Amino acid sequence: NRVYLDSIGQLDNGASKATNQSDTSAARVKSFHIIQASPPHTASIAVINWLMGLFHPNEDIAFLASWPDQPVKQSGKDIELGATLVTKTSNLNILEMYQTIRPHFDEVFFVISNR
């Protein structure tokens, strides 16, 4: 069975329930976050624009500098990490980011680019 997610990571109205659960229980929706990581000044804007177009077509890019020490910034404002599905960063310490962010989501995915 395929499960379709809308732009905020929730099951859409046409999604079927997971087959391993009884008909009386609601399907559990996993939370996830996508981090687009690339070194500074590598012209990776095409990758983040593609991801934003898929998941948040009407939102500005959210930038993660060194969360949780500094807040995530979007449109010049501080936002919670969970307020967006996609976040851009130039921090390439992927393992440390994963260990810090993973406790807040069921799944964390990284899209890493260099030009």
Side-chain angles (χ1 to χ4, degrees), residues 3-23:
V3 176
Y4 297 92
L5 300 175
D6 67 12
S7 64
I8 59 168
Q10 300 296 318
L11 288 173
D12 71 5
N13 292 333
S16 61
K17 291 185 179 182
T19 56
N20 62 347
Q21 295 184 2
S22 69
D23 292 336

Side-chain angles (χ1 to χ4, degrees), residues 26-115:
R28 183 181 175 309
V29 178
K30 287 189 172 187
S31 64
F32 67 96
H33 198 81
I34 302 168
I35 307 287
Q36 193 279 311
S38 59
H41 312 295
T42 57
S44 62
I45 197 69
V47 176
I48 192 65
N49 281 340
W50 174 70
L51 289 168
M52 291 300 292
L54 286 173
F55 295 102
H56 290 297
N58 299 317
E59 299 285 332
D60 290 333
I61 295 169
F63 188 78
L64 171 75
S66 69
W67 187 85
D69 300 327
Q70 296 176 347
V72 176
K73 295 281 190 180
Q74 186 176 39
S75 304
K77 298 176 186 168
D78 296 350
I79 65 166
E80 295 292 325
L81 183 62
T84 180
L85 290 178
V86 181
T87 306
K88 179 170 180 43
T89 187
S90 56
N91 179 355
L92 296 179
N93 191 343
I94 304 302
L95 183 57
E96 182 181 313
M97 273 196 304
Y98 179 81
Q99 291 170 339
T100 304
I101 294 170
R102 175 61 175 82
H104 302 276
F105 299 95
D106 293 321
E107 301 287 344
V108 177
F109 303 98
F110 289 88
V111 176
I112 303 169
S113 64
N114 187 9
R115 294 210 185 249

